[in-house]
Amino acid sequence: MTDVVLEHIDILIIGAGPVGMTLNLALAAGGQKSLLVDRRPQQSPQNDPRALALSYGARQLLEQINAWPAHAATPIATIHISQKDGFGRTLIDRTEHALPALGYVVRYRDLATALAAQLSADARLDAVEILDITPTEEHLTISLRHAGALRRLQTKLLIHAEGTQEDDPAVKVSDYHQHAVIVEITPQPGHQNRAWERFTPDGPLALLPLGNEYSVVFTLPPAKADAVMAMDDTAFTAALQSQFGTRMSFANPGPRSRFPLFLRMREKLVQGNEVWIGNTAQTLHPVSGQGFNLGIRDAWQLAEILLKNGVDHSSLAAYAASRRLDRQGSAFFTDQIVRAFSNDFGPLKLVRGLGLLALDICPPARNFVAKRMIWGARAWP
Ligand SMILES: Cc1cc2nc3c(=O)[nH]c(=O)nc-3n(C[C@H](O)[C@H](O)[C@H](O)COP(=O)(O)OP(=O)(O)OC[C@H]3O[C@@H](n4cnc5c(N)ncnc54)[C@H](O)[C@@H]3O)c2cc1C
């Protein structure tokens, strides 16, 4: 291994997911090169079944790096929030916010393709296996295998954007005991660009307009998710219909996938010359669609600080401090919604109904929730 030539790189990013690619492009826009490495072959995001609700703020950032997938994005005009078998509901409307949309729904694969199209030819290495990371006072040395060859890279800054890591002892994990079953399904009549967030005792049910379909996130306890995954299309459609109610009917469900749900928070975002961003720093419940929206703000903020102040320890400390409010606020907001709504406790149901009603008749409170969805931490004064 010591015979292998040492290659010098200013910034190495492990993980060419949407967050890692955004960071590479935001740095490149300011004249700073970085290298992305990923263990997956380049085409594999094409198999990712997720659709992401992107905030209006995320669209603005993606536009700045020419990676907004306009042709593949379905606008959200209204969001209807309600609880199953309980009173109270809130409607958030884009016209109250003078915006063309509250947010947009985009398939993960279309977002990944739009970002990848903007990368320079030498920006990434795919199908890489990281063999070793050795930190010293000034640098890190990374040994990896790529295309059958061993390579050694020395970098001043290593950025972790590997997404959710299941075995990282530095991450605090809280199990929601819920799984998200995701599917695309045709609504009748059409969706009119309305997103639905319906709270049920089993967990939240989200319907996101995507093309002519709804992308459904059907959250259930693990055993019920097993049952739903095993159903034929007719039984599955009936199960979804019974959770949603009768305001709309569904047909032609596509293939189903499932994701177990956890809250994972890494306490330290910076350690020596290493930084953690995106899902590797925090993985949230998908209930309010905050995950990538938070991750893109991580990438953006880090790029801005590095471009302004250069790569040194004070920049990294400034980055960690600057992200505290946004990540903790987003995690708290999401976690509280899941815990308050995912039960069938009578008094809580009443309080939730009153809360939804209050939200509906109180514009400042509704604005706060809407702004958190549209802008993230900028919702705070
Ligand atoms: C069901 C579901 C619905 C969701 N809905 C929304 C939503 O509506 N809105 C929203 O904003 N977010 C949503 N999210 C969250 C969103 O998917 C994530 O926040 C986002 O994908 C994180 O991007 P990332 O780049 O940090 O990680 P990832 O997308 O996981 O990418 C990580 C990359 O790192 C690579 N990698 C991993 N380990 C290594 C390694 N050891 N070496 C090299 N490369 C490695 C992987 O191959 C991958 O390419 C949802 C999540 C789920 C599960």
Side-chain angles (χ1 to χ4, degrees), residues 14-21 37-40 44-45 48 50-55 104-105 108 124 128-130 161-165 180-182 208 217 258-261 277-295:
I14 306 184
V19 171
M21 286 196 278
V37 296
D38 202 291
R39 67 179 172 196
R40 296 198 280 194
S44 62
D48 197 298
R50 272 173 285 183
L52 307 180
L54 304 188
S55 66
Y104 299 84
V105 186
Y108 181 100
R124 73 193 265 175
V128 156
E129 184 190 357
I130 307 281
E162 298 103 330
T164 304
Q165 298 295 296
V181 173
I182 61 172
L208 304 171
V217 183
R258 77 194 288 180
F259 293 81
L261 303 178
I277 64 170
N279 264 36
T280 189
Q282 64 273 318
T283 301
L284 311 187
H285 192 291
V287 62
S288 56
Q290 301 277 315
F292 173 71
N293 294 304
L294 190 55

Side-chain angles (χ1 to χ4, degrees), residues 2-20:
T2 44
D3 299 339
V4 180
V5 180
L6 193 59
E7 302 167 56
H8 296 274
I9 287 170
D10 282 351
I11 299 176
L12 182 70
I13 306 169
I14 306 184
V19 171

Side-chain angles (χ1 to χ4, degrees), residues 40-232:
R40 296 198 280 194
Q42 191 168 352
Q43 292 313 317
S44 62
Q46 297 306 326
N47 303 325
D48 197 298
R50 272 173 285 183
L52 307 180
L54 304 188
S55 66
Y56 190 75
R59 170 190 167 158
Q60 288 182 319
L61 298 183
L62 290 165
E63 277 175 341
Q64 289 185 54
I65 48 174
N66 299 318
W68 171 240
H71 60 284
T74 304
I76 300 174
T78 53
I79 306 175
H80 187 288
I81 308 171
S82 62
Q83 57 175 339
K84 185 173 181 251
D85 304 330
F87 74 101
R89 70 100 168 109
T90 293
L91 189 66
I92 299 174
D93 193 319
R94 70 167 184 85
T95 54
E96 287 183 359
H97 302 277
L99 289 172
L102 291 167
Y104 299 84
V105 186
V106 175
R107 289 191 178 90
Y108 181 100
R109 59 176 185 257
D110 290 330
L111 175 64
T113 302
L115 286 159
Q118 296 304 317
L119 297 174
S120 66
D122 58 354
R124 73 193 265 175
L125 300 176
D126 290 298
V128 156
E129 184 190 357
I130 307 281
L131 301 173
D132 182 58
I133 299 176
T134 305
T136 61
E137 184 73 12
E138 291 293 311
H139 297 104
L140 295 120
T141 305
I142 294 96
S143 306
L144 55 83
R145 195 188 316 274
H146 178 242
L150 291 176
R151 290 174 67 169
R152 285 175 73 229
L153 311 179
Q154 192 175 70
T155 185
K156 283 192 271 182
L157 176 60
L158 175 60
I159 296 163
H160 294 271
E162 298 103 330
T164 304
Q165 298 295 296
E166 279 166 21
D167 51 358
D168 184 344
V171 172
K172 213 170 134 200
V173 184
S174 163
D175 190 344
Y176 285 115
H177 303 289
Q178 292 181 353
H179 286 201
V181 173
I182 61 172
V183 69
E184 290 180 19
I185 201 160
T186 311
Q188 286 159 348
H191 57 56
Q192 285 149 352
N193 297 86
R194 171 164 294 185
W196 298 81
E197 188 78 72
R198 189 146 172 80
F199 293 99
T200 83
D202 285 336
L205 169 65
L207 274 71
L208 304 171
L210 180 63
N212 294 324
E213 316 274 73
Y214 266 124
S215 164
V216 177
V217 183
F218 191 176
T219 314
L220 295 158
K224 287 193 180 174
D226 287 344
V228 155
M229 288 298 290
M231 287 173 180
D232 64 23

